[in-house]
Amino acid sequence: NVEASMLAVEWNGTDFGLVLGAGVGVKLGTGNVLVEARYNMGFSEVREDYKNKNTSFSLMVGYGFN
């Protein structure tokens, strides 16, 4: 049964990584426009038999009221 064998796979319980990011705020009207970008780079492998690591990229855009 494929489903049962997938449930039996051991996933690593801990992930170590590094997050790098930068952001900027620009005054607009009575508040600020905010833009941030972040990159998350995982150092640990997800499983021993599956040689991938967690990575992600995120972008945040917002408006802050004063």
Side-chain angles (χ1 to χ4, degrees):
N1 184 349
V2 174
E3 236 177 78
S5 66
M6 287 186 74
L7 290 174
V9 171
E10 290 291 323
W11 296 90
N12 290 337
T14 305
D15 186 17
F16 294 98
L18 177 68
V19 177
L20 302 172
V24 65
V26 178
K27 187 161 180 62
L28 181 66
T30 60
N32 294 310
V33 174
L34 310 167
V35 179
E36 272 187 31
R38 292 183 185 158
Y39 178 70
N40 179 12
M41 176 176 49
F43 295 148
S44 305
E45 293 176 349
V46 195
R47 294 187 338 213
E48 289 192 27
D49 62 338
Y50 192 66
K51 304 294 180 188
N52 281 344
K53 298 175 183 172
N54 288 321
T55 59
S56 65
F57 178 79
S58 61
L59 180 66
M60 188 273 297
V61 178
Y63 186 80
F65 298 95
N66 290 334

